[in-house]
């Protein structure tokens, strides 16, 4: 009886052991500009880059990473969205705000049940520290229940590059709510950026390494919030965004580019949309560059308490609006 009990106990222990899934598993998609430490893991200099997959039969997902955080005034975090909910993403801390750390860390994501769930993750930190490679989260593997599986998240085949600030990155990201049966995203975005910052960074995976993006079907670009909050003049904004568009068209000569105005916050009076005229000017000077005004949304959208980010329902409103606006253009068909 004792032997039978011990055998049963050991089988029970085995049954609840985690299954380790390496970062290189072919069912995991790395969307955007990721850099590979061969045989170790992947990291990104862009906070908007996504790692996506579907899990089934597991109650948790543990994310294992090598973390470098030399900045005692910031943190390394993982933003996670389950089932592409319009709710703000959940934030998991690899390091705390005042912590300086180098080593291995894990965070545990608890799922609502063990049915199928799509997962979207962003590894974030301070924007310039990420881009310079000083602050780095290298995702190595994922642990799931022994009964679980990781599968590919089936999305659309049209590549959509999203170029922008926190509105296109991490927990504030609205492009993820666009039609994912049509689009597979390729984010080039980080929170806190102005158009002038993107002008310096667009051509790079991270500081010093030139990017080699695949061909895109469509590119959307949006700035204005950080520019307004930093007091950037219209003329300086137009100069910076013009340079960004030139770089995009040099790298993606066959892809239509849509410049998306940030809507005015009519509650606070902050006119993030003041740069729409500059976007319009740039579009007039270029072929295959189009301007999308969001001024018609100003009375129907709401804001988070900081006054600079859309509330959860409004992210879906603007995502649907942009999907509809793009569909009105005759986009060139391109093969993959």
């Amino acid at each position: 009886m004792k032997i039978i009990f011990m055998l049963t106990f050991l089988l029970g222990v085995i049954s609840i052991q985690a299954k380790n899934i390496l970062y290189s598993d072919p069912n995991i998609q790395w969307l955007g500009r990721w850099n590979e430490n061969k045989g170790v893991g992947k990291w990104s200099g862009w906070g908007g880059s996504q790692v996506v997959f579907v899990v089934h039969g597991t109650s948790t997902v543990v994310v294992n990473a090598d973390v470098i955080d030399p900045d005692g005034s910031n943190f390394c975090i993982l933003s996670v969205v389950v089932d592409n909910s319009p709710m703000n993403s959940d934030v998991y801390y690899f390091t705390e705000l005042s912590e300086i750390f180098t080593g291995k860390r894990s965070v545990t994501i608890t799922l609502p049940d063990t049915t199928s769930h799509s997962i979207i993750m962003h590894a974030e930190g301070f924007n310039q520290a990420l881009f310079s490679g000083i602050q780095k989260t290298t995702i190595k593997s994922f642990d799931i229940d022994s009964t679980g599986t990781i599968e590919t998240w089936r999305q659309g085949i049209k590549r959509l590059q999203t170029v922008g600030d926190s509105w296109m990155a991490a927990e504030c990201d609205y492009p993820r709510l666009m039609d994912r049966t049509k689009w597979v995203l390729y984010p080039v975005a980080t929170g806190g950026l102005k158009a002038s910052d993107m002008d310096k960074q667009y051509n790079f995976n991270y500081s010093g390494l030139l990017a080699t993006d695949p061909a895109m079907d469509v590119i959307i670009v949006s700035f204005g919030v950080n520019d307004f909050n930093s007091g950037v003049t219209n003329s300086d904004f137009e100069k910076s965004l013009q340079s960004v568009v030139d770089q995009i068209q040099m790298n993606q000569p066959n892809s239509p580019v849509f410049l998306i105005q940030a809507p005015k916050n009519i509650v606070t009076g902050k006119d993030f949309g003041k740069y729409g005229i500059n976007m319009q000017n740039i579009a007039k000077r270029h072929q295959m560059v189009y301007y999308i005004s969001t001024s018609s949304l100003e009375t129907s959208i709401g804001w988070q308490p900081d006054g600079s980010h859309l509330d959860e329902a409004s992210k879906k409103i603007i995502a649907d609006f942009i999907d509809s606006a793009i569909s009105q253009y005759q986009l060139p068909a391109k093969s993959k």
Side-chain angles (χ1 to χ4, degrees):
M1 290 293 292
K2 186 175 181 180
I3 294 174
I4 294 173
F5 172 80
M6 288 299 295
L7 181 59
T8 303
F9 174 77
L10 289 172
L11 287 172
V13 171
I14 292 170
S15 68
I16 62 173
Q17 285 181 340
K19 181 187 295 183
N20 183 250
I21 309 294
L22 295 178
Y23 78 96
S24 54
D25 187 285
N27 290 309
I28 299 170
Q29 293 172 279
W30 300 84
L31 307 181
R33 294 174 175 174
W34 289 92
N35 311 289
E36 184 173 11
N37 290 3
K38 197 68 177 176
V40 177
K42 288 193 177 185
W43 66 279
S44 183
W46 296 87
S49 298
Q50 297 183 3
V51 51
V52 305
F53 50 84
V54 170
V55 291
H56 182 82
T58 186
S59 58
T60 61
V61 176
V62 179
V63 184
N64 305 305
D66 288 338
V67 177
I68 300 173
D69 185 2
D71 184 356
S73 61
N74 217 288
F75 36 62
C76 291
I77 63 175
L78 191 74
S79 294
V80 180
V81 177
V82 177
D83 297 327
N84 208 11
S85 164
M87 303 289 285
N88 288 336
S89 59
D90 293 320
V91 176
Y92 299 84
Y93 291 82
F94 285 112
T95 61
E96 299 295 333
L97 181 60
S98 59
E99 184 179 13
I100 295 174
F101 177 81
T102 298
K104 301 181 186 302
R105 284 279 168 88
S106 298
V107 296
T108 300
I109 302 156
T110 301
L111 301 176
D113 52 53
T114 58
T115 62
S116 290
H117 297 286
S118 65
I119 309 290
I120 302 174
M121 300 179 180
H122 306 262
E124 299 178 75
F126 177 63
N127 51 47
Q128 296 305 321
L130 281 180
F131 185 70
S132 66
I134 294 172
Q135 191 176 40
K136 184 185 297 186
T137 300
T138 302
I139 299 176
K140 301 173 65 176
S141 66
F142 308 89
D143 293 335
I144 58 175
D145 296 350
S146 61
T147 55
T149 58
I150 282 185
E151 303 159 7
T152 300
W153 183 17
R154 304 296 177 188
Q155 302 169 80
I157 61 171
K158 289 185 176 294
R159 291 197 187 101
L160 176 66
Q161 187 174 89
T162 63
V163 180
D165 51 28
S166 60
W167 286 39
M168 294 187 173
E171 69 268 22
C172 302
D173 169 12
Y174 72 76
R176 67 177 174 79
L177 298 171
M178 294 174 68
D179 185 358
R180 296 298 279 256
T181 66
K182 179 195 303 181
W183 306 113
V184 57
L185 300 191
Y186 193 92
V188 182
T190 294
L193 296 191
K194 305 183 295 295
S196 58
D197 299 315
M198 185 60 75
D199 182 24
K200 299 181 184 75
Q201 296 181 198
Y202 176 78
N203 279 330
F204 299 90
N205 265 20
Y206 60 90
S207 182
L209 181 67
L210 286 171
T212 53
D213 300 332
M216 298 293 145
D217 291 280
V218 175
I219 298 169
I220 61 175
V221 182
S222 185
F223 290 96
V225 174
N226 296 310
D227 305 85
F228 179 88
N229 287 337
S230 299
V232 176
T233 65
N234 283 74
S235 59
D236 284 346
F237 177 90
E238 185 167 328
K239 180 180 178 181
S240 296
L241 190 63
Q242 174 68 74
S243 181
V244 172
V245 170
D246 289 343
Q247 292 174 62
I248 291 172
Q249 291 204 305
M250 180 69 69
N251 286 281
Q252 300 285 341
N254 300 313
S255 301
V257 179
F258 293 86
L259 306 180
I260 301 168
Q261 177 195 38
K264 177 181 179 179
N265 185 333
I266 62 174
V267 177
T268 64
K270 291 185 175 182
D271 192 5
F272 305 131
K274 64 179 279 189
Y275 305 107
I277 183 63
N278 306 109
M279 292 181 167
Q280 195 170 29
N281 292 341
I282 294 168
K284 288 177 179 178
R285 293 195 291 266
H286 291 266
Q287 292 187 341
M288 294 183 68
V289 177
Y290 309 97
Y291 168 60
I292 296 178
S293 170
T294 58
S295 58
S296 63
L297 300 179
E298 291 172 355
T299 59
S300 59
I301 59 175
W303 297 83
Q304 294 185 30
D306 65 4
S308 293
H309 296 96
L310 297 173
D311 65 20
E312 293 163 344
S314 299
K315 288 188 295 186
K316 179 60 175 169
I317 290 173
I318 198 167
D320 290 345
F321 178 83
I322 294 167
D323 249 331
S324 177
I326 291 175
S327 70
Q328 296 175 33
Y329 292 84
Q330 185 64 41
L331 301 180
K334 297 193 324 189
S335 59
K336 296 296 178 193

